[in-house]
Amino acid sequence: MTSTIVKREKLVSFSLFVNGLIMVMNTSMFTVAIPTIAQGYQISPSMAAWMVTSYSVFFAIGTLLYGRMTVFFSVPILISTGLGLLGVGSVLGMVTDSYLLLVLARVIQALGMSAISGLGIIIVSWYFPKESRNRALATIASASVLGFGLGPLVGGLLSDYLGWRYLFTISLIGVLTLPVYRRFIPNTKPVNGKFDGVGFVLFSTAVISLLLTVSSGILWFLLGLICFPLFFIHIHSKEQPFLSLSLLKDNIYQKALYLAFSIFFIHFSILFITPLLLVNVHERNMSFIGWILFFGALASSFLMKWVGRVVDVIGVLLIIGLSTVCMATATFLNSGLGSHNAFFLHYFSLFLVQASHVSPWACLRS
């Protein structure tokens, strides 16, 4: 692919920040609204949770798909398709009275929003100047961290004062960035290559089965047990497999992947447990929880921006080491002091676990 530089770099970076923020908020906002939705449709909370589950499943599929579809279509076309689907799903969710159509709206939203997840890093890697890539990656990472705190806060406020349907209007803000991508990202020719459809189906089916097992408890993992071995057998026989075999065998990549997975696992676990501790042990209300999560994420978002500026000075390994220490410290504080002091737990340990989010970003950057 011919190297080209993005026009209006700061504007494109800001658009990626906005869409990255909405991408994360789109899950956490609706999680807060599940009890209200269940009551409105007179369904069980587990049935209402499929709004979040379906979004997560198809978001995973879309993220895999968009990145590989660059062999056929240019980035502006793909991201236009994604934001168009996001708009359609958001409007459908606002106007429908059927719960099945509401779940369908969330699926369409996921297939659209995953374009940002799948193409955001590609945009920065392909079209941003080398000297500004770190700042752009840090901007995307800070949006992810901030979204984790802002989502519950916005979701709770909108649900309480306007109604949960207004949550869909937040996604429409992301659609407004479409002209930026169309105008300022070079419409270069796609990368030469072939799309491994069989590999995509096997891998995505295995991933979906794992997600469904975690979210619903149903024995979907049996399907994954079949598809994962078939996938690895398949990529050995393909010249251009869906996932590169040489990459999967790379020792550095394997370590970075393991570290990123471990930190994300603990990161999400603590963010999930924290509200439960505050409600059931410390008897705090949802408003208090939303504000605590928001300020913790806001502080970490500023930390991300700072790291993006100094990463080349202090080095990636030091950042990974410090953020891993933050993660371990936060885990210790939550397990040892979580039931004793709510303020200490959340003004300090929550910030540490948010700060640990820097480490997966540093792995990605390296």
Side-chain angles (χ1 to χ4, degrees):
M1 185 194 71
T2 304
S3 178
T4 15
I5 302 300
V6 68
K7 304 173 185 177
R8 300 292 298 273
E9 171 189 319
K10 291 184 178 179
L11 184 58
V12 173
S13 182
F14 176 74
S15 298
L16 289 173
F17 173 84
V18 170
N19 282 309
L21 186 66
I22 294 172
M23 177 179 68
V24 177
M25 289 175 61
N26 227 337
T27 299
S28 54
M29 286 190 306
F30 283 93
T31 302
V32 174
I34 282 179
T36 306
I37 295 173
Q39 184 179 7
Y41 282 98
Q42 296 183 348
I43 57 178
S44 65
S46 60
M47 180 67 71
W50 275 99
M51 282 190 61
V52 177
T53 302
S54 62
Y55 183 91
S56 301
V57 169
F58 284 91
F59 184 88
I61 295 176
T63 300
L64 294 170
L65 185 60
Y66 280 108
R68 300 301 296 176
M69 289 302 289
T70 53
V71 302
F72 298 116
F73 304 101
S74 65
V75 172
I77 291 176
L78 290 172
I79 210 163
S80 298
T81 302
L83 292 179
L85 288 172
L86 178 63
V88 171
S90 300
V91 172
L92 177 60
M94 291 175 63
V95 301
T96 184
D97 291 325
S98 167
Y99 181 70
L100 290 178
L101 289 179
L102 189 64
V103 173
L104 176 61
R106 291 289 288 161
V107 168
I108 297 173
Q109 272 193 318
L111 291 175
M113 198 76 255
S114 57
I116 300 300
S117 176
L119 301 174
I121 304 299
I122 290 177
I123 291 173
V124 174
S125 302
W126 286 5
Y127 302 120
F128 274 61
K130 185 177 181 180
E131 60 272 13
S132 60
R133 287 175 189 167
N134 288 333
R135 289 196 304 270
L137 288 172
T139 298
I140 296 174
S142 65
S144 176
V145 173
L146 182 59
F148 283 120
L150 196 58
L153 178 61
V154 173
L157 292 176
L158 284 179
S159 298
D160 286 341
Y161 294 102
L162 296 177
W164 61 264
R165 290 191 184 276
Y166 283 87
L167 298 179
F168 286 98
T169 61
I170 301 298
S171 299
L172 290 176
I173 298 174
V175 181
L176 298 178
T177 63
L178 178 56
V180 175
Y181 299 115
R182 294 292 298 180
R183 183 173 181 181
F184 299 120
I185 295 179
N187 193 25
T188 53
K189 293 182 179 180
V191 181
N192 293 327
K194 297 179 180 180
F195 180 72
D196 180 15
V198 175
F200 167 73
V201 171
L202 289 174
F203 186 78
S204 59
T205 302
V207 170
I208 290 171
S209 67
L210 178 61
L211 289 174
L212 290 175
T213 300
V214 172
S215 61
S216 65
I218 302 174
L219 299 181
W220 289 99
F221 72 90
L222 295 176
L223 186 60
L225 288 177
I226 298 174
C227 290
F228 267 125
L230 290 177
F231 171 74
F232 284 107
I233 293 172
H234 171 76
I235 62 176
H236 276 84
S237 61
K238 291 290 292 186
E239 183 179 350
Q240 296 182 16
F242 182 71
L243 289 179
S244 173
L245 190 61
S246 60
L247 180 64
L248 295 176
K249 290 181 177 180
D250 185 84
N251 188 45
I252 296 177
Y253 177 79
Q254 290 177 356
K255 292 178 179 178
L257 191 63
Y258 173 75
L259 178 62
F261 172 80
S262 301
I263 291 178
F264 270 120
F265 180 82
I266 296 176
H267 176 89
F268 284 112
S269 298
I270 293 179
L271 288 181
F272 176 77
I273 293 171
T274 293
L276 296 178
L277 276 173
L278 283 173
V279 171
N280 298 323
V281 177
H282 300 289
E283 298 181 348
R284 303 289 181 173
N285 56 35
M286 291 303 298
S287 176
F288 178 86
I289 295 171
W291 282 110
I292 288 293
L293 292 175
F294 170 69
F295 283 117
L298 182 63
S300 296
S301 178
F302 284 113
L303 176 64
M304 287 280 196
K305 296 291 291 184
W306 176 79
V307 168
R309 295 188 182 97
V310 301
V311 60
D312 289 326
V313 178
I314 64 178
V316 173
L317 290 179
L318 181 59
I319 291 175
I320 293 175
L322 289 175
S323 59
T324 304
V325 170
C326 288
M327 175 197 66
T329 304
T331 304
F332 171 77
L333 291 174
N334 274 272
S335 60
L337 302 174
S339 61
H340 299 290
N341 192 311
F343 290 98
F344 180 77
L345 171 71
H346 293 91
Y347 281 107
F348 186 64
S349 66
L350 185 60
F351 171 76
L352 290 176
V353 74
Q354 292 280 17
S356 72
H357 201 271
V358 176
S359 189
W361 168 81
C363 292
L364 178 63
R365 189 263 177 194
S366 62

